[in-house]
Amino acid sequence: MENPSLGWARSLVCGFGSLFVPIFAERQAFGPIPAQDVALSLVMMTMVCTAAGYVLTRSAPLLLTRLLLRLHPNLQLRDDVWEEVVPGQEAQLGEEAAEEGVAKKRYIRKRTGAELLFIVVHNSAVTSMAMLAWLLGYPYLALHAFCLEIGYEVFDSFSLGFQRMEPETLIHHLVSPICILCSTQTDIDFRVLCQLSICIDLSGAILGMSKFLLRFSHLSASKIYQFLSIVYIFLRVIFPLIDTVIIVSRELTTKGSFSTRLQLQSDQQGFFARTDWTQLYFWSMAVMNSFNAYFFLVIRARSRLPAHVVSIYETQN
């Protein structure tokens, strides 16, 4: 008979280990979720994210900055954070315009401080919802968390517009919803997806705050990039790759070889009946993992630059 203390210790170790490598004896399938449930959650979360985003980035753009200073009163910010223009508006270049007698205008090319802080708020909300869904064992709460992520992609796309959206952002905003929507049509363990969401969104919140501090604070840019490189290697590269291996291996084990998964089931009727959602999910995950690895290399390269070079780069870009 096994010692009760040893059994308790083994359970504790297994439970703690599952936080990093989410392998479970019994699968709690996430999908397939009915299309109407996905659509309803998507509409609701998009409306919530859009309303919150409009208030925090357009209607009251300095609200999050003031809240940040209340939480961290010793944080010193540059004056630029208070002089930013709300997206869609124009700012007069005072001195240059006065000298030339011409009203020159400049348009916002980057995310504003309010938009960067809203990234922190949004990603923190998604992370909290994913954690709560995992703890409560409630897949539909995970669905709302994932749809909130899509809601942000929609809001951010319209908020940035084509003038301010970078190619990397555009690709991310296209591929990320594909990953999420495809996952709703597979029977992947929702706890694996929750861990993946926690890693991505927690690192996203840290990234948003880091970008804000890089532009508006007096903190060392090199130290911020060094910290980001550590965050990225674990939360955007190692753990997502572990989750990807778990997802792919379990799907191939239960549903056939890789070549089988790449074939459409032509004996069924209709395009959506024949479409292999897992196949599309695999390809979208490959794109996202490649992007994460690329951005990690970029961040690591910047963290190794001399401090004065990084400061000049951040000032000019």
Side-chain angles (χ1 to χ4, degrees):
M1 183 176 180
E2 185 180 11
N3 191 329
S5 60
L6 292 178
W8 179 84
R10 182 180 293 108
S11 299
L12 182 62
V13 171
C14 292
F16 183 75
S18 65
L19 296 176
F20 302 96
V21 183
I23 299 178
F24 306 94
E26 296 182 0
R27 176 185 301 192
Q28 297 183 20
F30 183 55
I33 299 177
Q36 58 270 24
D37 292 350
V38 177
L40 178 61
S41 177
L42 185 58
V43 171
M44 291 174 55
M45 293 299 103
T46 301
M47 292 176 61
V48 170
C49 187
T50 301
Y54 180 82
V55 171
L56 296 177
T57 64
R58 302 295 181 93
S59 179
L62 296 178
L63 178 61
L64 292 178
T65 303
R66 294 192 179 99
L67 179 60
L68 175 63
L69 291 179
R70 282 182 175 271
L71 296 176
H72 300 279
N74 295 327
L75 180 63
Q76 297 182 355
L77 299 178
R78 305 178 190 273
D79 294 337
D80 297 349
V81 72
W82 308 108
E83 301 172 356
E84 277 196 314
V85 185
V86 176
Q89 296 181 356
E90 301 169 352
Q92 302 293 330
L93 296 180
E95 296 181 357
E96 186 175 0
E99 292 176 357
E100 299 182 5
V102 178
K104 292 191 175 182
K105 301 175 181 179
R106 64 179 171 88
Y107 295 88
I108 301 173
R109 293 297 181 183
K110 296 181 178 180
R111 294 183 188 273
T112 64
E115 289 173 335
L116 292 175
L117 292 179
F118 181 63
I119 292 177
V120 179
V121 172
H122 159 263
N123 285 336
S124 298
V126 175
T127 301
S128 301
M129 292 173 66
M131 288 181 176
L132 193 59
W134 188 347
L135 292 175
L136 298 179
Y138 190 35
Y140 265 82
L141 180 57
L143 172 64
H144 297 325
F146 303 156
C147 286
L148 182 59
E149 178 65 29
I150 298 179
Y152 174 78
E153 312 288 357
V154 174
F155 166 76
D156 193 55
S157 297
F158 284 100
S159 179
L160 291 177
F162 288 106
Q163 289 185 339
R164 293 195 296 149
M165 183 174 294
E166 299 177 348
E168 298 87 351
T169 304
L170 176 61
I171 296 175
H172 179 274
H173 284 2
L174 291 175
V175 178
S176 178
I178 293 176
C179 284
I180 296 172
L181 292 177
C182 288
S183 69
T184 64
Q185 300 305 311
T186 64
D187 58 354
I188 298 168
D189 194 315
F190 89 97
R191 292 168 293 184
V192 178
L193 300 176
C194 284
Q195 198 233 33
L196 180 60
S197 176
I198 291 170
C199 291
I200 296 299
D201 285 281
L202 179 58
S203 60
I206 296 173
L207 178 62
M209 179 58 69
S210 298
K211 287 185 175 181
F212 179 86
L213 295 176
L214 282 170
R215 191 186 308 173
F216 298 111
S217 76
H218 299 280
L219 300 178
S220 171
S222 295
K223 291 183 178 180
I224 293 177
Y225 274 119
Q226 290 170 6
F227 175 72
L228 269 181
S229 63
I230 297 175
V231 171
Y232 250 70
I233 188 61
F234 287 103
L235 297 184
R236 286 289 178 106
V237 178
I238 295 179
F239 289 145
L241 283 178
I242 292 175
D243 294 333
T244 300
V245 171
I246 293 174
I247 292 170
V248 173
S249 62
R250 290 213 172 184
E251 288 301 306
L252 297 183
T253 300
T254 57
K255 298 181 180 179
S257 64
F258 188 73
S259 60
T260 302
R261 302 303 298 160
L262 295 181
Q263 297 176 357
L264 296 178
Q265 302 174 3
S266 57
D267 56 332
Q268 300 183 24
Q269 300 296 324
F271 175 78
F272 289 102
R274 297 186 295 108
T275 299
D276 187 349
W277 293 98
T278 310
Q279 172 189 344
L280 184 58
Y281 189 39
F282 286 175
W283 290 120
S284 58
M285 281 192 300
V287 173
M288 294 302 295
N289 287 332
S290 300
F291 258 66
N292 290 333
Y294 164 74
F295 285 123
F296 163 71
L297 294 176
V298 171
I299 292 173
R300 187 184 65 172
R302 292 183 183 179
S303 68
R304 295 180 176 181
L305 292 174
H308 68 281
V309 175
V310 179
S311 299
I312 294 175
Y313 176 83
E314 291 300 326
T315 302
Q316 295 178 348
N317 292 275

